[in-house]
Amino acid sequence: LLRALAEKIDLQSVDGWALYEVNPDYEHYIKGHEYIADILGQWEHDKRSSAAMSKYTTVSRKGHKEALGGGDSRFVFRKRVFRNPREIPQDPVEYHLMYAQAVHSVTKLDEFPVNERVALQLAGLQLQVLWGDYVTGKETRYNDAHMYLPARILNDQPSRSEDEWGQLLSDAHREFGKGKSEIQAKVWYLTSVKHYPLYGSTFFPVTYKGFWSYPNNLILAVDLNGLKFVNLRNKTIMAEFPYTRLDSVSVDREDPVVLLNMKVRNPEEQKCFIFETPQKEDIANLVASYSPLHSKWQHAGEAKIRRFNMTEEEKLKLYDEVLTARRALAENNLLQRPVETSSGFLTTTLRKPSKEKLMRLKKQRENLPYDKVFKQSFWSYSKSRLSQPISIIIGDELEDTACKMFQSLLIHASIEKSGGFEIEGDEHHVGMIQLVISKCLEKEALCNEFYLQCIKQTTDQPDPNSRLNGQNWRLMALLCSIVVPRSKEILSYLMAHLRKCSIDSNTEEGKYAQFCMQSVQRTLQNKNRKYPPSTQEIMCVIHRRKIHARFYFMDGQFRALEFDSAATVEEVVGTVKERIGLRREAQGFSLFEVFGQLERNMLASEKVADAIFKWEKYAKSTGSQRFLKLTFKKRVFLKPYLNVQDKVEFGLLFNQAIDDVVNDRFPISYDEGVYLTALRAQVLLGPPTDRPGSDYNSVIDSTLPKHMRQPMQPDDVAKKHREIGSMTGDEANLSFYDFVRQWQLYGSTIFEVLQSYTATLPKNLWLAVNEQGIHIMKRRDKEPLVTYDYRNIVNYSPGLKNLMIVTESLTRGTKFVFNTSQASQIAHLIRDYTHVIVEKQRRAASRHR
């Protein structure tokens, strides 16, 4: 189509030119393998007005003609890749097209930082191209200033009338266009625009998903030299990276997010930039067009596939490994000898052999070599039900379970419809998969058996790319991601099978085998899971993808990240820190599972995927419409609390301070509430004006705890806002954080507890835990009633609904009993602070030696 269009307009070469689909919702680069008919079909489906034939001017020399694309959607032909942006094209048609694109970039897109003087000069040249030399009395030509000047220039002078703009345009036409031919005016226009450093760049409006010193809304510019982060308002270049600094580009499958992974030269440099944009694939494809090294960009979380070039001898060696593993299984008496089936009329109608004859036959079979007993059919794919387990399992109930698990394999492959652990209405067999894998987690013997069953069903498949084989491999992939067999012989057989099947990476079987090998290695590294996979995990793993989840921050924003089934909280916290640009040595941050009003810190060794399943199951059993929020925030506060110059860490702790105030975990008086609300108003509303007091209601609601919102007077906030009105937004944020940090118990985790053990303390209390120790407080008071450092805590014992703390002495000390559902959370936090103190003392002692 591009070649046909070029021929139609006499364009000599289409190198660098492309076709775009442009509609009110998005702009999309049409790749070479896409079909125009598919896009037209989508227009019709979306009821676009462009899907109907209409008369409008086309490139046809016959004038107006009926065609598609005359409505709200259209195809746009324009230059996409500028390989020599400063070079003057020799093709006059290409020059005219590039001039038209430059005019559009200046007047409609405002892509260059032109001031009013330059904008008028360019407008004069544009008018000369359009109308020729200036003619007196044709002032109506200058009525529509938006055709010649960017909206930014017009908006900077709101008091200037349309007639005044028209006069300026006519003066510019007369001064800058005078005596120039059409081609000369175009050359002058294009030459002027080419002087801007951003000429030849493609602009993508993006939102940075992280914390940094630049505005979060910006332009990502992609050009011949690399990537540039451009200020959205004034078009200044804030940062730039050549392609040699770019390690890889990843595109999120689920969310409109693109990840730029950088090569860092020192630990202080940011390794990853995450941008939110609907044009994520266009960015990745354009980077690939300029930089062949980055042509193989991936969807984030996609499994990497290795290509093997193996000789026949090497392939034969892998097959020998499988045979060796099978022999080891037989020699270690792990396999049930297959039941000898009779065939033919006579043998099936004669009476059964006697007990003595059966014993004699059994002894004869025991002396047979293993390959005579365990024939190839024993190891290979079967459509028939199992009459007995493959492995030796003790107990009739477990044997029945094992046979039902194999039947579930057949159901999952659509061979059978019943007889396994199927669940009515379970369309994608999610419940059945979870139930089968939970059996594997509960019983080691069933885990070993199910692995042998999966290996059997993926051995000697007639078509490695068939849907049936794919279903078996999908279940194998899920199993490998959750639990591995503890039997060394079965694990060796599994790995030999996967290595043999992974040779041909062009088949689905080969790709799944490689994914399973990676999963087994990760599961062995981080140990088996506690729970089966969630629905979300199943949908990701069966497509050989990492789990996709959102991680929330205290400002309400989230970042979408991928992690595998074996990922621990410690690993995911490290990934989050890397993705948001938080320095690696920033300590004390953790992941919390938040479900409605329930909040729990996750231990470093816990699996994140287990938490997703646990809360999914809870939501289903209770009928709750809530969902799990994996929240990243600081848990352990150690002095010095942060480096204020680190914008990322400051952003995290500043938003956490706001959350503490809003959720009534930071005690404030009325006057302090007025001051903090005024600081937030300076950021959210801007400098004070004669706005009504009601404008402050939304700021009050987003800043203060519930019990202070009703009595808070907006006029008091407005008065304080006027007093601090000279502050910048950054100064106001810093003042807010400094005010919170001045509290002597800043950094404490506040737990609401009840106590009835002693009459000397109120019933409703706050228990604050920080680096210094524990502090028992009246609720909403700043001063503690009593404080104990960790040296004076001799015992703490959490129960399901209460926590006992003994201080000073086990026999003569003071005992406190607090009623709280967060007893284990408090105990873990005390343990972590104690561990930190002991480590500090150990390091200090080693330095003095």
Side-chain angles (χ1 to χ4, degrees):
L1 182 62
L2 285 178
R3 286 194 294 271
L5 183 57
E7 185 179 339
K8 190 82 172 178
I9 61 176
D10 297 327
L11 180 65
Q12 293 176 8
S13 171
V14 293
D15 182 38
W17 292 86
L19 206 59
Y20 288 79
E21 176 198 1
V22 179
N23 61 49
D25 299 328
Y26 59 85
E27 180 179 290
H28 163 61
Y29 156 61
I30 303 173
K31 295 182 280 295
H33 59 79
E34 293 186 66
Y35 292 94
I36 298 297
D38 286 341
I39 298 173
L40 295 176
Q42 190 63 44
W43 286 1
E44 187 173 346
H45 178 270
D46 296 340
K47 297 181 180 179
R48 302 275 184 197
S49 58
S50 296
M53 301 288 280
S54 60
K55 281 191 174 184
Y56 65 99
T57 304
T58 71
V59 292
S60 170
R61 293 184 175 87
K62 296 180 181 178
H64 292 279
K65 182 179 179 182
E66 277 207 346
L68 298 173
D72 55 359
S73 301
R74 61 190 186 278
F75 296 112
V76 175
F77 180 70
R78 70 167 185 251
K79 189 85 170 178
R80 174 175 172 266
V81 177
F82 291 77
R83 302 202 183 279
N84 297 293
R86 305 293 179 261
E87 187 179 84
I88 297 175
Q90 299 304 308
D91 180 2
V93 174
E94 184 170 15
Y95 201 90
H96 294 320
L97 290 172
M98 291 183 68
Y99 160 75
Q101 190 166 326
V103 170
H104 185 75
S105 296
V106 171
T107 60
K108 302 301 181 188
L109 304 179
D110 193 20
E111 291 184 342
F112 309 111
V114 296
N115 54 32
E116 183 179 315
R117 179 173 170 276
V118 174
L120 287 169
Q121 290 175 350
L122 294 174
L125 295 169
Q126 184 185 347
L127 285 160
Q128 184 68 16
V129 171
L130 191 61
W131 302 109
D133 288 335
Y134 174 80
V135 178
T136 306
K138 299 285 187 178
E139 278 70 23
T140 54
R141 294 175 175 175
Y142 313 108
N143 286 347
D144 191 358
H146 287 88
M147 283 184 61
Y148 312 105
L149 297 170
R152 170 178 53 85
I153 299 296
L154 299 173
N155 295 336
D156 283 347
Q157 300 291 340
S159 60
R160 194 172 287 170
S161 67
E162 187 176 318
D163 290 340
E164 289 174 314
W165 280 116
Q167 184 60 49
L168 289 171
L169 288 170
S170 67
D171 292 343
H173 185 187
R174 184 166 52 243
E175 180 179 355
F176 302 111
K178 184 178 180 181
K180 294 181 179 67
S181 65
E182 179 184 342
I183 190 64
Q184 285 177 324
K186 286 181 178 179
V187 169
W188 276 65
Y189 194 105
L190 206 49
T191 303
S192 300
V193 172
K194 283 183 177 183
H195 280 104
Y196 288 101
L198 292 172
Y199 178 76
S201 301
T202 302
F203 285 28
F204 298 96
V206 298
T207 300
Y208 177 65
K209 303 295 285 184
F211 304 92
W212 62 359
S213 56
Y214 305 127
N216 278 11
N217 293 319
L218 69 152
I219 291 168
L220 176 62
V222 181
D223 62 19
L224 176 69
N225 300 312
L227 307 168
K228 298 178 175 67
F229 301 162
V230 181
N231 188 288
L232 190 63
R233 189 177 60 83
N234 56 27
K235 304 302 184 295
T236 56
I237 299 173
M238 301 182 294
E240 55 185 317
F241 302 90
Y243 291 117
T244 53
R245 288 281 313 281
L246 180 64
D247 185 36
S248 63
V249 180
S250 299
V251 170
D252 195 289
R253 272 186 189 275
E254 307 292 335
D255 291 311
V257 169
V258 63
L259 295 82
L260 304 177
N261 302 301
M262 315 305 293
K263 298 174 184 174
V264 294
R265 295 168 294 192
N266 57 69
E268 285 74 32
E269 289 183 342
Q270 191 162 334
K271 188 177 181 180
C272 180
F273 296 96
I274 305 176
F275 295 104
E276 186 178 56
T277 169
Q279 296 173 288
K280 55 185 181 180
E281 292 196 0
D282 286 359
I283 293 172
N285 285 319
L286 186 57
V287 169
S289 297
Y290 280 118
S291 176
L293 290 174
H294 301 98
S295 59
K296 294 182 180 179
W297 58 268
Q298 281 192 315
H299 283 98
E302 205 170 58
K304 293 182 179 179
I305 304 299
R306 291 179 59 195
R307 308 292 175 185
F308 295 102
N309 292 315
M310 302 187 75
T311 64
E312 290 301 319
E313 185 179 348
E314 289 171 325
K315 292 178 182 179
L316 191 59
K317 185 179 177 182
L318 290 177
Y319 183 66
D320 286 341
E321 288 180 6
V322 172
L323 296 180
T324 302
R326 289 175 180 174
R327 183 182 294 276
L329 290 172
E331 291 175 349
N332 285 279
N333 296 318
L334 295 173
L335 304 175
Q336 286 242 47
R337 290 176 177 267
V339 176
E340 191 170 307
T341 57
S342 301
S343 60
F345 174 78
L346 291 175
T347 54
T348 56
T349 55
L350 292 174
R351 66 181 180 180
K352 292 183 179 180
S354 64
K355 189 174 182 181
E356 292 76 13
K357 189 174 182 181
L358 281 172
M359 293 296 293
R360 191 165 61 251
L361 288 170
K362 185 177 180 182
K363 285 183 179 179
Q364 289 174 0
R365 291 182 60 205
E366 284 176 352
N367 295 325
L368 291 173
Y370 102 95
D371 53 348
K372 295 292 184 180
V373 177
F374 302 103
K375 299 177 181 178
Q376 186 61 28
S377 60
F378 176 85
W379 307 101
S380 301
Y381 161 75
S382 171
K383 290 185 177 181
S384 305
R385 300 185 178 203
L386 287 182
S387 59
Q388 64 178 26
I390 298 174
S391 60
I392 296 175
I393 296 179
I394 300 173
D396 293 342
E397 187 178 343
L398 286 182
E399 284 195 359
D400 291 342
T401 301
C403 291
K404 289 182 73 174
M405 291 169 80
F406 186 80
Q407 193 67 8
S408 299
L409 257 175
L410 298 179
I411 293 170
H412 187 252
S414 301
I415 296 172
E416 294 281 356
K417 292 186 177 179
S418 62
F421 290 105
E422 71 279 3
I423 299 172
E424 189 177 350
D426 188 14
E427 184 181 357
H428 299 289
H429 303 305
V430 169
M432 183 182 74
I433 291 169
Q434 291 172 336
L435 189 54
V436 169
I437 293 180
S438 68
K439 301 283 183 190
C440 296
L441 288 166
E442 291 166 8
K443 293 289 183 180
E444 182 182 338
L446 292 177
C447 177
N448 292 337
E449 170 68 20
F450 195 57
Y451 261 108
L452 291 174
Q453 293 176 5
C454 287
I455 296 171
K456 175 182 175 67
Q457 292 304 90
T458 53
T459 297
D460 294 342
Q461 275 283 352
D463 182 4
N465 285 318
S466 67
R467 181 189 177 277
L468 187 149
N469 192 36
Q471 286 293 88
N472 291 327
W473 275 107
R474 289 182 186 100
L475 203 43
M476 173 84 89
L478 284 163
L479 190 62
C480 293
S481 301
I482 305 296
V483 59
V484 291
R486 293 183 182 176
S487 165
K488 291 182 180 179
E489 292 80 10
I490 294 177
L491 181 59
S492 296
Y493 181 37
L494 170 66
M495 296 308 291
H497 175 68
L498 295 178
R499 282 193 294 270
K500 173 182 166 292
C501 294
S502 66
I503 296 172
D504 191 356
S505 55
N506 293 319
T507 64
E508 285 296 293
E509 180 175 90
K511 292 173 182 176
Y512 273 106
Q514 288 195 28
F515 180 83
C516 288
M517 287 179 67
Q518 296 166 17
S519 299
V520 168
Q521 289 163 0
R522 285 284 293 148
T523 307
L524 286 170
Q525 177 186 342
N526 286 347
K527 300 181 181 178
N528 291 345
R529 290 261 297 275
K530 287 177 63 177
Y531 300 109
S534 63
T535 304
Q536 179 185 0
E537 182 178 357
I538 290 172
M539 292 303 136
C540 291
V541 172
I542 64 174
H543 292 102
R544 302 190 303 274
R545 297 203 302 263
K546 292 183 177 180
I547 305 167
H548 179 279
R550 292 177 173 181
F551 292 85
Y552 290 81
F553 298 85
M554 302 314 294
D555 59 353
Q557 299 295 313
F558 66 84
R559 310 290 181 269
L561 300 177
E562 290 76 29
F563 53 92
D564 63 25
S565 299
T568 62
V569 169
E570 184 178 16
E571 291 172 338
V572 171
V573 165
T575 302
V576 173
K577 288 167 72 172
E578 180 183 295
R579 292 293 173 82
I580 65 175
L582 181 62
R583 54 197 173 86
R584 191 175 300 174
E585 61 271 18
Q587 299 299 315
F589 288 92
S590 186
L591 206 58
F592 290 76
E593 48 185 25
V594 179
F595 192 88
Q597 298 301 312
L598 302 172
E599 178 178 298
R600 188 185 78 88
N601 170 62
M602 299 176 69
L603 303 181
S605 59
E606 288 185 57
K607 311 292 194 309
V608 178
D610 276 340
I612 296 175
F613 170 82
K614 180 177 63 177
W615 289 107
E616 177 189 273
K617 184 179 179 181
Y618 177 81
K620 284 181 181 178
S621 63
T622 59
S624 174
Q625 298 300 312
R626 296 191 179 101
F627 61 92
L628 172 66
K629 284 188 174 183
L630 295 167
T631 304
F632 181 83
K633 65 178 180 178
K634 188 145 185 159
R635 173 173 172 266
V636 175
F637 286 75
L638 304 173
K639 293 181 179 178
Y641 298 119
L642 87 158
N643 177 5
V644 179
Q645 302 304 317
D646 186 335
K647 298 298 181 183
V648 177
E649 189 171 9
F650 175 77
L652 290 167
L653 293 191
F654 166 69
N655 285 298
Q656 192 163 333
I658 294 175
D659 185 75
D660 285 341
V661 174
V662 171
N663 288 293
D664 200 15
R665 291 190 293 265
F666 180 83
I668 55 174
S669 64
Y670 181 87
D671 290 340
E672 290 169 340
V674 170
Y675 175 63
L676 293 178
T677 308
L679 290 172
R680 294 300 294 145
Q682 181 69 7
V683 176
L684 299 175
L685 303 179
T689 58
D690 294 332
R691 59 169 55 88
S694 59
D695 283 8
Y696 291 94
N697 287 335
S698 61
V699 184
I700 291 170
D701 290 343
S702 63
T703 306
L704 299 178
K706 286 183 181 179
H707 73 275
M708 291 192 69
R709 294 171 191 171
Q710 190 67 31
M712 182 60 60
Q713 296 299 313
D715 290 339
D716 293 342
V717 177
K719 181 180 177 182
K720 179 60 72 172
H721 189 191
R722 286 190 291 273
E723 293 176 12
I724 63 164
S726 60
M727 283 186 179
T728 64
D730 287 344
E731 289 171 343
N733 286 341
L734 186 59
S735 296
F736 189 106
Y737 178 72
D738 283 343
F739 176 85
V740 174
R741 191 168 58 169
Q742 286 170 6
W743 184 32
Q744 62 171 327
L745 296 182
Y746 170 74
S748 300
T749 303
I750 304 293
F751 299 95
E752 292 188 357
V753 297
L754 299 172
Q755 78 83 31
S756 54
Y757 188 77
T758 174
T760 59
L761 291 174
K763 183 178 180 180
N764 296 313
L765 293 168
W766 274 357
L767 181 63
V769 182
N770 66 5
E771 187 181 9
Q772 283 72 47
I774 64 168
H775 314 270
I776 301 171
M777 313 168 63
K778 283 184 179 179
R779 293 190 183 182
R780 297 176 184 158
D781 269 13
K782 283 194 173 182
E783 297 296 327
L785 297 171
V786 60
T787 294
Y788 294 97
D789 62 29
Y790 292 111
R791 289 175 301 180
N792 292 324
I793 299 174
V794 294
N795 186 35
Y796 54 95
S797 178
L800 191 62
K801 291 289 185 180
N802 56 64
L803 173 71
M804 182 182 72
I805 297 177
V806 181
T807 64
E808 296 168 352
S809 169
L810 283 173
T811 55
R812 299 181 180 179
T814 306
K815 182 166 76 171
F816 299 94
V817 178
F818 301 107
N819 297 323
T820 172
S821 60
Q822 295 179 294
S824 63
Q825 293 285 290
I826 299 170
H828 279 121
L829 191 57
I830 292 173
R831 184 199 64 185
D832 290 346
Y833 274 119
T834 306
H835 176 73
V836 169
I837 292 170
V838 169
E839 281 295 304
K840 279 185 177 180
Q841 292 172 347
R842 186 185 61 79
R843 287 196 296 267
S846 63
R847 283 197 298 268
H848 287 98
R849 285 174 186 169

